C-alpha cells in the first residue's frame, strides 16, 4: 500500500464523484480543485453501461489519471489490480469486515469503507479496525432508506456520531460526510458542512465541482482559530507541560486540538498549491449548463 496514497486519503477534505461512464469528465474533475476524485462504477452508472464504464476507468487510470474507484462487483477487482493510477478503492454498503479485508488484500491499496445501512453502523468499529482501511464514509441517503427515516440531521445524528467514535477509537481521521444532493444550493451545503464539523467529521463526499470551493472554505480554520492554535503551540514550546494562555489552562488535550487546527491549515495550503500547479482545464459545471 502506497504511503503517499494513504496520506492523501487521510488528509483530504473533498472527494468528488464522477460517473464511470463519463470519461470526458475525468480529467476535468482532476483539475477541479477537489482533493480526491472518485470514479463511480456503482450508483452513477446504469446496468447496461457497467462494462464500458469499467473499461473507461481502467484505461484512464493506466495513463495519467489518479483516482479512487467506487466498485460495485467483486469481478471488477481483477481489472483494477495493478493499475498505476488507482490510489484507493471505495467499498459501498460496507458491513462485512472480511469482505473489506479481501478487497484490500486483492488490490493492495487503501480502502474507504462506505457505510450505508444499520448493519454497517453497528459494524463500524470492526470495519475501522480492518488493516488497509484509510477512512470511513457515511452514505446518508441509503442509510435513511434502510431505516425508513428522513435524511435530516436529527435522524442521522446517532449514525454520524457512531462513525466518528469508531474512527477515533481505531486511530483513523474523522469520517467523510455524505453528499448534499442540491449541488446548486450553497446555503444547504454550508449548513451540512458546519454540522459535520461540529460532530467531528473531517471530509465531504461531493457530486459537483461547484461544491469544492465551499467545502474547502468551511473546512479551512478561521484566522481566529489559527491565531489561537499558534499561541497554544508556542506556549508549550516556550514553557512546560501545562501553561496558561488566554486565561485558560493548556494541557495535552488542548495542545492536540491546536495541532489539529494547524494541520488542517497545512492541508489546505498543500491542496491550493496542487490545484494551481495542475493543468488548466474547463469545469465540469460547463457541461451541466
Amino acid at each position: 500500500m502506497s504511503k503517499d496514497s494513504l496520506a492523501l486519503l487521510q488528509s483530504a477534505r473533498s472527494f468528488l464523484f464522477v460517473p464511470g461512464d463519463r470519461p470526458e469528465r475525468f480529467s476535468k474533475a482532476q483539475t477541479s480543485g477537489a482533493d480526491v476524485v472518485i470514479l463511480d462504477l456503482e450508483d452513477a452508472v446504469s446496468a447496461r453501461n457497467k462494462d464500458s464504464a469499467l473499461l473507461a476507468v481502467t484505461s484512464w487510470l493506466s495513463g495519467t489519471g489518479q483516482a479512487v474507484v467506487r466498485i460495485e462487483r467483486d469481478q471488477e477487482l481483477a481489472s483494477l489490480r495493478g493499475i498505476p493510477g488507482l490510489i484507493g478503492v471505495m467499498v459501498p454498503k460496507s458491513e462485512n469486515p472480511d469482505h473489506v479485508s479481501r478487497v484490500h488484500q486483492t488490490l493492495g491499496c487503501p480502502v474507504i469503507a462506505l457505510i450505508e445501512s444499520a448493519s454497517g453502523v453497528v459494524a463500524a468499529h470492526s470495519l475501522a479496525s480492518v488493516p488497509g482501511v484509510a477512512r470511513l464514509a457515511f452514505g446518508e441517503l441509503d442509510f435513511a432508506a434502510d431505516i425508513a427515516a428522513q435524511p435530516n440531521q436529527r435522524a442521522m445524528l446517532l449514525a454520524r456520531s457512531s462513525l466518528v467514535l469508531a474512527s477515533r477509537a481505531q486511530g483513523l481521521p474523522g469520517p467523510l460526510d455524505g453528499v448534499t444532493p442540491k449541488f446548486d444550493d450553497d446555503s444547504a451545503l454550508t449548513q451540512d458542512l458546519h454540522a459535520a464539523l461540529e460532530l467531528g467529521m473531517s471530509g465531504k463526499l461531493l457530486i459537483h465541482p461547484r461544491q469544492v470551493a465551499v467545502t474547502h472554505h468551511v473546512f479551512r480554520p478561521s484566522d481566529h482559530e489559527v491565531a489561537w492554535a499558534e499561541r497554544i503551540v508556542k506556549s508549550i514550546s516556550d514553557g512546560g507541560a501545562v501553561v496558561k494562555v488566554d486565561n485558560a489552562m493548556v494541557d495535552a488535550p488542548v495542545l492536540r486540538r491546536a495541532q489539529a487546527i494547524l494541520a488542517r491549515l497545512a492541508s489546505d495550503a498543500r491542496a491550493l498549491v496542487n490545484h494551481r500547479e495542475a493543468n488548466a482545464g474547463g469545469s465540469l459545471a460547463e457541461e451541466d449548463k
Side-chain angles (χ1 to χ4, degrees):
M1 178 168 59
S2 167
K3 291 183 179 180
D4 290 342
S5 296
L6 179 63
L8 172 61
L9 297 188
Q10 292 193 328
S11 64
R13 306 147 298 169
S14 56
F15 291 71
L16 177 62
F17 280 114
V18 182
D21 59 352
R22 299 299 300 271
E24 73 277 7
R25 296 187 178 188
F26 295 173
S27 294
K28 293 179 181 179
Q30 192 166 248
T31 58
S32 68
D35 294 332
V36 174
V37 172
I38 303 175
L39 302 182
D40 191 5
L41 295 176
E42 198 212 15
D43 288 348
V45 179
S46 65
R48 67 177 181 274
N49 289 342
K50 296 292 185 182
D51 291 338
S52 61
L54 178 59
L55 181 60
V57 166
T58 55
S59 176
W60 189 70
L61 293 178
S62 296
T64 60
Q66 287 194 331
V68 168
V69 174
R70 177 162 72 166
I71 60 172
E72 180 180 56
R73 306 165 295 176
D74 280 352
Q75 54 262 44
E76 294 163 351
L77 301 181
S79 298
L80 293 169
R81 188 187 296 121
I83 298 293
L86 183 70
I87 61 172
V89 61
M90 174 175 279
V91 179
K93 300 176 178 61
S94 291
E95 297 177 350
N96 186 336
D98 289 338
H99 176 249
V100 172
S101 179
R102 286 195 298 274
V103 171
H104 168 63
Q105 291 172 5
T106 299
L107 296 179
C109 62
V111 173
I112 298 173
L114 180 60
I115 294 177
E116 305 178 89
S117 66
S119 295
V121 171
V122 171
H125 285 268
S126 297
L127 292 166
S129 70
V130 173
V133 169
R135 211 89 175 256
L136 299 183
F138 184 43
E140 175 181 359
L141 301 181
D142 284 286
F143 178 79
D146 184 54
I147 66 170
Q150 294 295 319
N152 57 43
Q153 296 295 337
R154 185 172 65 178
M156 302 296 108
L157 178 59
L158 177 60
R160 283 189 168 95
S161 295
S162 296
L163 267 61
V164 170
L165 292 175
S167 297
R168 178 57 190 156
Q170 298 300 332
L172 298 181
L176 310 177
D177 197 23
V179 302
T180 297
K182 295 182 178 180
F183 64 82
D184 58 349
D185 188 339
D186 290 350
S187 177
L189 176 60
T190 299
Q191 181 178 341
D192 287 350
L193 289 165
H194 281 296
L197 270 174
E198 288 174 1
L199 289 177
M201 307 186 98
S202 60
K204 179 75 171 173
L205 302 176
L206 309 176
I207 59 172
H208 198 280
R210 68 165 289 152
Q211 296 178 315
V212 172
V214 177
T215 298
H216 290 181
H217 175 74
V218 173
F219 277 135
R220 187 184 189 279
S222 68
D223 292 342
H224 175 76
E225 287 179 302
V226 172
W228 173 84
E230 289 175 340
R231 289 198 300 274
I232 296 297
V233 172
K234 185 177 186 301
S235 70
I236 294 296
S237 64
D238 289 345
V242 179
V243 297
K244 188 175 181 180
V245 176
D246 298 342
N247 294 319
M249 297 304 296
V250 175
D251 54 9
V254 176
L255 176 61
R256 286 198 296 271
R257 178 172 172 243
Q259 291 171 331
I261 289 172
L262 296 180
R264 281 169 53 201
L265 182 67
S267 177
D268 184 80
R270 287 194 299 271
L272 181 60
V273 169
N274 291 339
H275 179 48
R276 285 176 173 171
E277 290 179 349
N279 292 329
S283 168
L284 290 177
E286 295 173 358
E287 298 184 18
D288 291 329
K289 291 180 180 178

